[in-house]
Amino acid sequence: MQDMQPEQTQDTEARIREQIAENPVLLYMKGSPKLPSCGFSAQASQALMACGKPFAYVDILQNPDIRAELPRIADWPTFPQLWVNGELIGGCDIILEMFQQGELQPLVVAAAPEIDESASE
């Protein structure tokens, strides 16, 4: 395992915190929603897509520094990880349970930015 330099770790942590702050609904996953690289990420992204609102994602397989650092920051060891309004919601089991109980969609709808296409400047 590669030993990350302290400044590199700080840069990665700052990038993660920025991603979480800038994206009201964010899924850290393996692969992408359209081409997931593991079953858990596939199930989590499908549940989010079923909520009908846009969400951001980070492919941790393309970002090994984030994959290594996020579990420490989040105090959550596995992926996928769903973050809503800067708060860790949980992994695949929690996402699916919330979806099945009708709790995920209202959370995502409330957090997702409204895209007002009728607004004019």
Side-chain angles (χ1 to χ4, degrees):
M1 186 167 182
Q2 180 185 356
D3 187 23
M4 295 178 71
Q5 300 301 315
E7 63 273 1
Q8 188 179 2
T9 300
Q10 288 172 347
D11 290 348
T12 300
E13 183 171 343
R15 211 164 98 225
I16 290 168
R17 294 197 186 283
E18 186 176 299
Q19 290 169 342
I20 291 168
E22 289 179 356
N23 296 287
V25 182
L26 176 61
L27 184 65
Y28 286 95
M29 64 180 293
K30 294 179 181 177
S32 70
K34 292 185 178 174
L35 200 60
S37 297
C38 88
F40 298 117
S41 289
Q43 291 176 43
S45 60
Q46 285 172 352
L48 272 178
M49 287 188 283
C51 292
K53 289 290 184 180
F55 64 94
Y57 73 92
V58 174
D59 179 354
I60 60 159
L61 299 178
Q62 300 296 320
N63 296 277
D65 53 336
I66 291 175
R67 183 181 188 178
E69 198 59 23
L70 183 60
R72 184 189 64 77
I73 294 168
D75 197 23
W76 191 268
T78 59
F79 293 96
Q81 289 186 15
L82 175 62
W83 292 75
V84 176
N85 289 330
E87 183 181 335
L88 175 65
I89 301 304
C92 183
D93 290 347
I94 292 170
I95 294 167
L96 293 180
E97 183 178 324
M98 290 179 71
F99 180 72
Q100 290 162 355
Q101 293 179 354
E103 298 169 358
L104 185 64
Q105 186 169 5
L107 183 72
V108 170
V109 167
E114 284 300 320
I115 301 169
D116 187 356
E117 295 171 7
S118 64
S120 57
E121 294 182 23

